[in-house]
Amino acid sequence: MALVLLAGLAVLVLGPDPDRSVPVAGQGATAAASAPSPAATEPSPTAAAGVRELLRRRARAILDRDRAAFAASLDPRADPGFRAAQLAMFDNLDGVPLAHWEYALDPADRAPIPPGVADPTADETWAPATELRYALAGADSEPTTRPAGYLYLRRGADWYLSSDTALDAVGRTTWRGPWDFGPCLAVRVSGGLVIGHPGAEQLVRRLAAELDAAVAAVSSVWGTGWAQRVGVLVPGTPAELRALVGDRSTNAAIAAVAVADQVDRAAGRARGQRVVFNPDSDALLGPTALRVVLRHELTHVAARAATDDHTPLWLQEGLAEYVAYRDSGLSPAAIAPGLTAAARAGRLPGQVPADAVFQGPEPDLAYQQSWSLMRYLAARIGPDGLVALYRRLATDPGAATQPRLDGTLRAVLGTDLAGLLAAWHGDLERP
């Protein structure tokens, strides 16, 4: 069992996930070929207004904590399991501070209704594109948007929500938040909001106690030009973990990962930023390790809007590692034992680590090299210079190519990559 930082993820190698289902080869294609083709339906002239009013009342009921009004938005003849899950979700939101909750409807973009889904007793069934827009108080400066695969039906003059899973077959799935998985407990501090479930109280308290200091530590390097608040989530099960972060690992369980719903790089902001912790982290991460992982992921949060798909991983992970370990009190040999051993043996790297190494089976040395190189650069040009170099390389589509990287380094440092690595090697070889 080991802590490894893997391409932006802190992962704990725990072995196979018993809850992970394994698809049968060819099964999906066979099912798709044999199923009847679903057909789109044309709504009545008053459908859009009716559904919008339904969603307005549903959102108001959630914000006002009006359970009866919320229950009235559900189809009285819907599947009992769906109604029970919806009412449980409403109850689970108790104690979660919401700054915003509403639904948006796009009547022009609607899903076909799968065969057998429509209730023959309903007067009308409709599946327009629906989005949830919500914001957590103390964590989100503006609402974030998540998909809702809702199926609506009309009985007489009244519209109801009938299902949030019936459209899965046509690709309209509903996003699940922590409140879909159990009762929530929330702790709010200046640096954001920590949400978990009963049973994870200790980890929630530990994270809440570290969050303000972690935000300050990141801001001391990156600067204050980011939200400086974040939502930290502690899921209770592997299924909830995957719902919140996606299927990001195969033979390892995620210890922590920073995710975002939308990134607007032109405007320099990201929406729905979350740091998600595995509940097993409470037993597996001591105080220093928890502090390091939280600061690492918060660095990704701070730098998200300045980071692009082409930003080299050695740059992304190196900066996050530098910030995470900056005030840890740990020695270089403790932080980078593999690199220390390689330096003593004269086996120093001749290049920066390639992205593929971070995503391979043994990424440890790549993280250690990236941390050490960032630490050396910060000692040479200062934390402000390091951040400026990051921003310059992160926004350069050709930053990963040798000529472009050499040109940027010459402009900033007066030397190319080979010269930088040679100087870094000399620093590593000092007794």
Side-chain angles (χ1 to χ4, degrees):
M1 192 177 298
L3 173 66
V4 179
L5 292 173
L6 175 58
L9 314 180
V11 299
L12 292 166
V13 181
L14 300 174
D17 180 355
D19 291 343
R20 189 182 306 282
S21 60
V22 179
V24 178
Q27 181 174 323
T30 302
S34 60
S37 299
T41 58
E42 288 300 320
S44 62
T46 59
V51 172
R52 283 197 176 100
E53 175 58 19
L54 162 71
L55 293 175
R56 186 197 67 78
R57 289 187 283 106
R58 176 182 168 89
R60 191 71 259 165
I62 288 175
L63 292 172
D64 291 345
R65 308 308 301 147
D66 187 336
R67 196 174 193 270
F70 179 82
S73 72
L74 306 173
D75 177 20
R77 301 185 194 176
D79 178 81
F82 166 71
R83 288 182 56 86
Q86 285 285 296
L87 291 172
M89 182 273 287
F90 178 90
D91 294 339
N92 294 340
L93 277 166
D94 278 342
V96 177
L98 297 174
H100 189 91
W101 190 287
E102 69 171 344
Y103 299 93
L105 195 70
D106 182 0
D109 182 10
R110 54 185 180 271
I113 298 173
V117 165
D119 184 342
T121 68
D123 296 300
E124 188 174 359
T125 306
W126 195 31
T130 307
E131 291 179 334
L132 166 65
R133 295 177 181 172
Y134 83 101
L136 297 174
D140 297 323
S141 56
E142 59 183 314
T144 183
T145 302
R146 305 304 289 149
Y150 285 176
L151 180 70
Y152 308 96
L153 58 77
R154 178 174 59 83
R155 299 188 186 279
D158 297 320
W159 281 94
Y160 299 97
L161 177 61
S162 175
S163 174
D164 66 354
T165 58
L167 303 180
D168 288 357
V170 293
R172 285 279 172 89
T173 58
T174 300
W175 173 76
R176 305 295 178 186
W179 34 86
D180 288 294
F181 293 90
C184 293
L185 56 97
V187 178
R188 185 172 174 179
V189 295
S190 298
L193 182 70
V194 183
I195 298 177
H197 302 291
E201 291 91 346
Q202 180 170 295
L203 180 55
V204 168
R205 287 195 298 267
R206 289 181 66 197
L207 289 168
E210 288 287 346
L211 189 53
D212 287 351
V215 169
V218 172
S219 295
S220 70
V221 177
W222 185 260
T224 58
W226 62 293
Q228 299 188 88
R229 298 186 304 171
V230 70
V232 180
L233 308 180
V234 182
T237 64
E240 182 181 357
L241 182 66
R242 289 194 294 272
L244 295 175
V245 308
D247 194 1
R248 303 287 295 273
S249 63
T250 54
N251 64 347
I254 296 173
V257 57
V259 295
D261 294 337
Q262 302 103 18
V263 180
D264 185 346
R265 293 186 177 89
R269 64 174 184 250
R271 298 182 182 89
Q273 297 234 64
R274 305 285 182 258
V275 174
V276 185
F277 268 79
N278 189 322
D280 291 336
S281 299
D282 185 47
L284 298 172
L285 297 179
T288 299
L290 184 73
R291 188 174 304 122
V292 165
V293 170
L294 181 59
R295 294 181 184 200
H296 177 106
E297 300 304 337
L298 280 183
T299 303
H300 288 308
V301 170
R304 179 81 65 190
T307 305
D308 214 330
D309 294 339
H310 58 253
T311 305
L313 288 179
W314 68 265
L315 190 67
Q316 296 184 48
E317 302 306 331
L319 179 69
E321 287 286 81
Y322 167 72
V323 175
Y325 283 108
R326 186 169 178 242
D327 297 318
S328 68
L330 297 174
S331 68
I335 296 170
L339 179 62
T340 300
R344 288 172 179 166
R347 294 182 284 101
L348 293 171
Q351 284 291 337
V352 292
D355 284 4
V357 180
F358 289 92
Q359 298 161 342
E362 297 180 351
D364 301 38
L365 189 57
Y367 275 91
Q368 294 173 25
Q369 292 170 359
S370 300
W371 162 78
S372 181
L373 184 57
M374 290 294 141
R375 177 174 174 267
Y376 172 76
L377 283 168
R380 182 166 171 177
I381 59 177
D384 290 346
L386 180 63
V387 170
L389 178 63
Y390 181 98
R391 289 181 177 277
R392 185 165 178 172
L393 290 173
T395 55
D396 181 355
T401 64
Q402 184 86 32
R404 190 73 64 85
L405 180 57
D406 282 343
T408 301
L409 292 176
R410 286 193 193 96
V412 175
L413 303 171
T415 185
D416 59 10
L417 179 61
L420 170 62
L421 292 176
W424 172 53
H425 290 173
D427 186 68
L428 285 174
E429 292 168 345
R430 289 176 187 170

